[in-house]
Amino acid sequence: HTGDSFPFESRQIPFLNWIFGLNTTGENTDYYLLINKEYETLAVTFKLLSEKELLNKSQNKYILWGLLFGLTILIVLINIFIWLATKDVIFIYFLGVIITSAIHILGATGLGFQYIWPLFPVINSWFPQTFSLWINLIFQLVFLQYFIGQTPQNSKIYFWIKYFIYSIVFALVLFVIFH
């Protein structure tokens, strides 16, 4: 048994995707896969790779992900220093955009489960990529309102955007309470 409802260590091969070794030396060449996934979208791709192909592919993939998250950490640190120097709240909103974007990518790729919360598969049931996307939208809207200087006095849609933000927060609270 393996899956995102089990600890990451339950995977036969510790990789961000589910990989299963196949014994091709024996007489039995029939394999069966039972996928038990309810109430969520499931996209499945099947590929047969040799160990060498898998190693090459995974090394390249992990290097690129490492570069992306290294740059993300650099952007976060720079924004923290700028915020400390200026005390301008826009940098906090921008940090929220960057951090929730990173959490979305971590959840969608499986890297979060592999490296950040491998012992807490319950986090996967909260749909981290979807949850972080909605929080990201809130940060983006607040950031943009502040960035363009939108106020009730200069915008007819200011309150509509605020009501939209409040409705997202309300829906997220209900999701956490009833999930």
Side-chain angles (χ1 to χ4, degrees), residues 38-82:
E38 298 176 357
Y39 310 113
E40 58 185 286
T41 304
L42 178 64
V44 179
T45 303
F46 294 98
K47 292 182 182 177
L48 294 176
L49 300 172
S50 68
E51 286 183 44
K52 184 177 180 180
E53 289 173 313
L54 175 63
L55 185 61
N56 288 336
K57 185 175 182 156
S58 65
Q59 284 177 336
N60 292 336
K61 189 180 274 193
Y62 279 110
I63 287 171
L64 290 175
W65 286 122
L67 286 171
L68 174 67
F69 285 107
L71 289 173
T72 302
I73 290 169
L74 180 64
I75 291 169
V76 166
L77 292 174
I78 289 170
N79 270 278
I80 289 171
F81 289 126
I82 293 172

Side-chain angles (χ1 to χ4, degrees), residues 19-136:
I19 297 176
F20 302 95
L22 300 178
N23 182 6
T24 57
T25 59
E27 292 180 19
N28 185 4
T29 57
D30 295 336
Y31 293 95
Y32 300 95
L33 178 64
L34 172 64
I35 300 174
N36 183 12
K37 204 73 162 159
E38 298 176 357
Y39 310 113
E40 58 185 286
T41 304
L42 178 64
V44 179
T45 303
F46 294 98
K47 292 182 182 177
L48 294 176
L49 300 172
S50 68
E51 286 183 44
K52 184 177 180 180
E53 289 173 313
L54 175 63
L55 185 61
N56 288 336
K57 185 175 182 156
S58 65
Q59 284 177 336
N60 292 336
K61 189 180 274 193
Y62 279 110
I63 287 171
L64 290 175
W65 286 122
L67 286 171
L68 174 67
F69 285 107
L71 289 173
T72 302
I73 290 169
L74 180 64
I75 291 169
V76 166
L77 292 174
I78 289 170
N79 270 278
I80 289 171
F81 289 126
I82 293 172
W83 175 75
L84 289 171
T86 64
K87 299 297 187 213
D88 191 345
V89 73
I90 197 167
F91 294 102
I92 297 296
Y93 300 145
F94 189 66
L95 277 171
V97 171
I98 297 300
I99 290 170
T100 55
S101 296
I103 292 170
H104 173 76
I105 293 170
L106 287 169
T109 61
L111 288 167
F113 188 36
Q114 183 174 5
Y115 292 110
I116 310 297
W117 59 85
L119 300 177
F120 303 100
V122 69
I123 292 174
N124 293 325
S125 69
W126 286 21
F127 310 106
Q129 62 271 29
T130 307
F131 198 78
S132 62
L133 191 63
W134 284 105
I135 296 172
N136 182 274

Side-chain angles (χ1 to χ4, degrees), residues 2-5 11 13 15-20 37 42 113:
T2 190
D4 60 3
S5 298
R11 295 187 182 193
I13 299 171
F15 190 70
L16 60 100
N17 302 110
W18 287 287
I19 297 176
F20 302 95
K37 204 73 162 159
L42 178 64
F113 188 36

